[in-house]
Amino acid sequence: MTATVTMRVEEPLDLQSSLTSGQCFRWRVDADGRWTGVLSGNIVRLERARVGLRVASAPAPPDETAHALQTYFRIGDDLRAVQRRIAWDNNVRAGIDEYPGMRILRQEPWETLAAFILSSTSNMVRISRTVELLATTFGERLTLDDAVRHAFPDAARLAEAGEARLRELGCGFRAPYLAQAAEAVAEGRLALDALREASYDDALAALTALHGVGEKIADCAMLFSLEKPQAFPADRWVLKVLREWYGLPANAKYATAREWAWQRFGADAGYANQYLFWRIRQSTRPLRSIGSL
DNA sequence: TAATAACCTCGCAA
DNA sequence: ATTGCGAGGTTAT
């Protein structure tokens, strides 16, 4: 029997909405509500406990992983305070009411950038499948009890694989984009970790310099991994919401949406975006087994 | 500058 | 069964 620790969580935290709302692509849930994923080279299993989360992991011990999870779930964010600041917006408030424990995640920059490069004109099921295939093909094998997962390969490994191989693995026209991003990171031309300290504008410029990374993908990387809470990834669904519910002109450009969001929500724009996005996504399609692949 | 097509792949069908 | 469409964008024309 694997050792577990129970980490106390005072902040609101709902695993279902936090782990399936399109920020991340590698968590799976079983029939008993146990979530399995990969976090910085460790296979991790999570389960809701009375006062928090029961955590198992390998090879890192669960107490170490519990610490990493505080970072991953941004437990340092006072989510209730964020919600109080933006709930005056009726649509945002509806999202808060439906998903009160949905958190913005603080993920690893390279995996996040890679995943969102793959997200272009795709969908969550396919993104998940491709990310998983890259991991099983190139990543280190990890086991926890009878569960087997693989670490997401680092940039050097994907750069070595090259465009043609990535195409074979189903990346499609995104293969050269991913290969070039991997080269840039592997060669140190793009220092993703440094972008955590950089300004929004500097990070945006560095990311969009990559072929295949426009403003939307850059915003996803910035919000979900680079400490830019004001990032407002306006995808087709959010843009649709802004036009239909808020009267933004049909031809509004991306920058218009961003300015609108900043004026309205300021540094909380990222959270507001997540509530709007997930609410419209959930209402627009039938419930599907996203977490179970 | 502003619109439009092209790009891989594949599950599903307004 | 088979074909065509569109999916959490970006780039080239």
Side-chain angles (χ1 to χ4, degrees):
Chain A
M1 199 55 192
T2 302
T4 65
V5 301
T6 300
M7 64 183 272
R8 201 176 180 82
V9 180
E10 310 286 353
E11 280 279 311
L13 171 58
D14 171 48
L15 296 178
Q16 173 73 34
S17 56
S18 298
L19 299 179
T20 67
S21 55
Q23 309 178 56
C24 56
F25 303 94
R26 301 204 59 199
W27 289 94
R28 307 285 180 264
V29 64
D30 67 18
D32 299 323
R34 304 196 308 180
W35 295 82
T36 304
V38 179
L39 204 57
S40 55
N42 295 289
I43 179 170
V44 177
R45 189 176 62 228
L46 301 179
E47 190 175 2
R48 213 47 236 206
R50 279 193 305 280
V51 291
L53 281 180
R54 191 182 334 283
V55 180
S57 67
D63 58 335
E64 201 174 294
T65 298
H67 186 74
L69 287 167
Q70 302 269 345
T71 299
Y72 186 76
F73 286 114
R74 303 193 67 95
I75 297 302
D77 285 2
D78 185 343
L79 185 57
R80 295 184 186 89
V82 173
Q83 292 170 344
R84 280 196 294 274
R85 291 197 294 270
I86 58 180
W88 58 268
D89 178 289
N90 288 334
N91 295 310
V92 170
R93 178 167 52 231
I96 293 171
D97 290 344
E98 278 186 76
Y99 312 106
M102 181 169 65
R103 306 192 70 88
I104 298 285
L105 303 175
R106 183 191 281 109
Q107 301 179 71
E108 291 152 67
W110 165 241
E111 177 176 341
T112 307
L113 176 61
F116 281 97
I117 285 174
L118 294 174
S119 78
S120 178
T121 318
S122 188
N123 55 71
M124 283 185 43
V125 173
R126 182 181 174 188
I127 300 163
S128 299
R129 191 165 42 77
T130 307
V131 167
E132 205 61 25
L133 185 56
L134 292 178
T136 54
T137 304
F138 301 115
E140 186 186 353
R141 187 173 188 270
L142 307 165
T143 61
L144 177 64
D145 297 333
D146 55 350
V148 179
R149 301 296 297 273
H150 294 254
F152 188 78
D154 63 22
R157 192 73 189 76
L158 289 189
E160 182 190 4
E163 173 187 337
R165 186 81 182 97
L166 295 178
R167 218 174 250 276
E168 284 176 1
L169 294 170
C171 294
F173 64 80
R174 309 157 196 84
Y177 302 157
L178 182 57
Q180 288 166 30
E183 288 165 20
V185 171
E187 293 168 9
R189 282 181 282 120
L190 178 63
L192 286 177
D193 287 331
L195 296 185
R196 285 194 150 137
E197 323 295 330
S199 70
Y200 177 91
D201 286 343
D202 286 351
L204 178 66
L207 291 170
T208 54
L210 295 168
H211 210 54
V213 178
E215 294 183 295
K216 189 271 177 184
I217 289 175
D219 271 333
C220 287
M222 288 195 283
L223 179 61
F224 302 136
S225 71
L226 295 176
E227 308 293 325
K228 303 292 178 283
Q230 72 271 48
F232 189 82
D235 72 335
R236 61 176 63 195
W237 295 99
V238 170
L239 283 174
K240 179 178 159 72
V241 161
L242 298 191
R243 295 187 188 117
E244 294 184 2
W245 298 353
Y246 296 94
L248 256 70
N251 62 353
K253 288 168 42 176
Y254 193 93
T256 308
R258 175 166 48 210
E259 293 302 327
W260 175 89
W262 284 354
Q263 184 172 355
R264 196 171 178 86
F265 303 113
D268 299 316
Y271 273 100
N273 179 284
Q274 190 63 18
Y275 291 118
L276 293 175
F277 168 73
W278 196 231
R279 192 168 157 244
I280 186 64
R281 279 315 272 132
Q282 290 297 80
S283 65
T284 310
R285 64 177 178 183
L287 281 163
R288 216 175 296 251
S289 54
I290 296 296
S292 50
L293 193 69

